């Protein structure tokens, strides 16, 4: 059988990736063609917008091109050779991705990203199970993807939504308030790592506290998965939402990992082709298990690309990746604190922080600051980061955010600090 994943990363197959390679940042950078890019003004790109989306290594781009160039076909349908190859690659990727996340392939439902993954829980599980009298607990640091679906559920089904506040001194969740909010809770939805603050929540404790009151737990791992190994079965959460594009994979794909007993309680979300057993003019019956939730032509190229991304990541020890990112972010944050007028929201220096630095300058507008940084070649994010309730809690409309990943270097961080100092000296 044709093996689209063979030799994706210099001849190492997924099975051979057990021995972690030491981190060689220059060798890692060489895997990412975009990192050598110069901007139209001639400046070398320094990409510090990784919490929005990571860059893609060449093996991911090649795996997707190879699918389109050599065996593009629809999956799960025809019996010709190309269809067989496409189906094998799609399902092979599911095996690799689910195994990377420490679970079985029948517990993984492909979605378009973390947003659709959370909506799938809201529509496929919560609409079946929850109604008036039920409580969904969220936190003030959720991304809109983990707020709006629950507000809609509240409007449609009368479910009560409670928010756990953050402590704006330590930028951490108020765990006492969580304890109170859990009273009578049916579902607890918590972000693993804040995309704004870089704070990693104590999700192990939150899962334990939530399950001890009989609530199901959804963890939004969109930001967590690029920074640490998520082991679904041992974490014990009921649902985990993941985006591929923040962890070296392509856009347009992600997944929801679902515990078997929770999946058995779910009903269909999107309906149409693929997810049915039998359709007559009177009614339709549906596939069992994860097949009930994957409708229409699958995301074939994207799944293959994501498979290649986890194969690439699997070369490394995620703990070493985390330490490298944390070193660069801690050093950068400490330097930034010395620059007059800069205020950091969060504690990037903390050991479990994930390399996001949200900041503002007291007199330079955040949009101006982002444009001035871009002129120097530095890509940072500016805005509310799809976390307006958190912005409200912090008392600001937006922040600038520099976010780091495995390929960022101390040299880039030094250049960033020099340029930021120059901007502040010149424009404040
Ligand atoms: N949750 C968090 C914490 C995020 O940072 C993001 C994206 O920024 C999402 C959810 C939504 O992910 P996606 O846009 O890939 O669906």
């Amino acid at each position: 059988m044709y093996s689209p994943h063979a030799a994706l990363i210099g001849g190492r197959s997924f099975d051979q990736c057990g021995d972690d390679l030491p981190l060689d940042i220059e060798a890692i950078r060489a895997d990412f063609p975009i990192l050598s890019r110069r901007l139209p003004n001639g400046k070398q790109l320094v990409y510090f917008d990784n919490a929005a989306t990571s860059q893609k290594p060449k093996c991911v781009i090649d795996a997707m091109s190879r699918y389109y160039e050599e065996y593009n076909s629809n999956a799960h349908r025809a019996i010709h050779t190309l269809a067989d190859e496409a189906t094998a690659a799609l399902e092979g990727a599911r095996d690799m991705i689910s195994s990377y996340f420490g679970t079985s392939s029948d517990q993984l439902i492909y979605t378009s990203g973390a947003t659709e993954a959370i909506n799938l829980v809201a529509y496929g599980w919560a609409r079946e199970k929850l109604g008036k009298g039920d409580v969904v607990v969220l936190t003030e640091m959720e991304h809109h993807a983990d707020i709006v679906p629950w507000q809609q559920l509240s409007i449609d089904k009368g479910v009560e939504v409670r928010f756990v506040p953050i402590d704006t001194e330590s930028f951490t969740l108020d765990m006492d308030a969580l304890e109170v909010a859990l009273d009578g809770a049916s579902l607890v939805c918590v972000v693993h790592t804040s995309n704004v603050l870089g704070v990693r929540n104590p999700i192990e404790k939150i899962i334990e506290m939530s399950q001890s009151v009989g609530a199901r737990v959804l963890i939004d791992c969109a930001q967590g998965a690029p920074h640490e190994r998520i082991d679904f079965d041992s974490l014990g959460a009921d649902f985990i939402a993941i985006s591929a594009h923040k962890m070296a994979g392509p856009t347009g794909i992600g997944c929801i990992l679902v515990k078997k007993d929770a999946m058995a309680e779910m009903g269909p979300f999107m309906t149409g082709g693929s997810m049915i057993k039998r359709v007559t003019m009177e009614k339709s019956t549906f596939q069992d298990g994860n097949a009930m939730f994957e409708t229409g032509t699958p995301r074939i190229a994207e799944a293959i690309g994501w498979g290649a991304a986890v194969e690439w990541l699997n070369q490394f020890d995620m703990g070493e990746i985390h330490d490298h990112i944390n070193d660069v972010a801690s050093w950068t944050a400490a330097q930034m604190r010395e620059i007059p007028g800069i205020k950091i929201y969060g504690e990037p220096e903390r050991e479990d922080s994930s390399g996001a630095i949200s900041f503002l300058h007291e007199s330079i507008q955040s949009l101006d600051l982002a444009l001035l940084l871009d002129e120097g070649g530095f890509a940072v994010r500016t805005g509310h980061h799809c976390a307006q309730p958190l912005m409200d809690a912090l008392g600001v409309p937006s922040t600038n955010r520099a976010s780091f990943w495995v390929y960022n270097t101390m040299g880039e961080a030094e250049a960033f600090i020099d340029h930021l100092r120059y901007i502040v000296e010149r424009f404040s």
Side-chain angles (χ1 to χ4, degrees), residues 244-290:
H245 69 95
K246 296 181 197 284
M247 50 180 294
T251 53
I253 192 161
C255 73
I256 187 85
L257 303 170
V258 185
K259 254 193 191 166
K260 285 192 176 135
D261 62 340
M263 199 181 290
E265 294 176 349
M266 290 170 70
F269 168 38
M270 303 256 281
T271 53
S274 302
M275 50 79 70
I276 51 86
K277 263 187 193 148
R278 175 87 177 99
V279 179
T280 66
M281 286 199 277
E282 288 72 39
K283 69 176 178 69
S284 305
T285 53
F286 307 124
Q287 298 270 11
D288 301 316
N290 57 351

Side-chain angles (χ1 to χ4, degrees), residues 94-317:
R94 189 193 305 274
D95 291 343
M96 288 158 60
I97 297 161
S98 54
S99 147
Y100 182 82
F101 291 120
T103 193
S104 55
S105 55
D106 56 350
Q107 288 174 264
L108 183 152
I109 304 169
Y110 283 133
T111 62
S112 64
T115 304
E116 190 183 307
I118 296 168
N119 272 275
L120 178 49
V121 179
Y123 284 83
W125 181 81
R127 258 161 227 262
E128 298 281 326
K129 293 293 294 177
L130 306 186
K132 213 165 174 43
D134 282 304
V135 174
V136 176
V137 176
L138 310 179
T139 84
E140 224 169 30
M141 63 166 93
E142 297 312 301
H143 187 281
H144 294 167
D146 201 23
I147 296 176
V148 186
W150 309 113
Q151 289 174 332
Q152 293 306 109
L153 182 76
S154 168
I155 293 167
D156 296 348
K157 304 279 281 185
V159 166
E160 182 191 344
V161 175
R162 289 182 193 153
F163 281 88
V164 177
I166 64 157
D167 175 332
T168 50
E169 294 291 307
S170 66
F171 304 100
T172 55
L173 275 187
D174 180 339
M175 295 299 279
D176 295 334
L178 171 66
E179 179 126 37
V180 175
L182 283 178
D183 185 28
S186 314
L187 176 68
V188 179
C189 305
V190 178
V191 69
H192 177 289
T193 296
S194 162
N195 58 317
V196 178
L197 305 168
V199 166
R200 190 227 194 253
N201 286 315
I203 50 151
E204 294 79 1
K205 175 102 185 110
I206 293 170
I207 293 168
E208 187 192 311
M209 286 167 72
S210 307
Q211 290 178 341
S212 75
V213 300
R216 290 218 183 259
V217 191
L218 182 157
I219 306 292
D220 172 359
C221 285
Q223 297 292 338
H227 292 271
E228 69 181 56
R229 196 67 180 251
I230 303 295
D231 192 316
F232 181 65
D233 287 352
S234 63
L235 267 177
D238 299 278
F239 308 99
I240 282 192
I242 297 170
S243 277
H245 69 95
K246 296 181 197 284
M247 50 180 294
T251 53
I253 192 161
C255 73
I256 187 85
L257 303 170
V258 185
K259 254 193 191 166
K260 285 192 176 135
D261 62 340
M263 199 181 290
E265 294 176 349
M266 290 170 70
F269 168 38
M270 303 256 281
T271 53
S274 302
M275 50 79 70
I276 51 86
K277 263 187 193 148
R278 175 87 177 99
V279 179
T280 66
M281 286 199 277
E282 288 72 39
K283 69 176 178 69
S284 305
T285 53
F286 307 124
Q287 298 270 11
D288 301 316
N290 57 351
M292 192 199 287
F293 307 101
E294 293 183 4
T295 313
T297 294
R299 300 161 174 94
I300 307 165
E302 291 79 5
I304 291 167
W306 194 11
V310 300
E311 187 170 26
W312 183 84
L313 274 175
N314 216 32
Q315 301 174 87
F316 309 111
D317 173 340

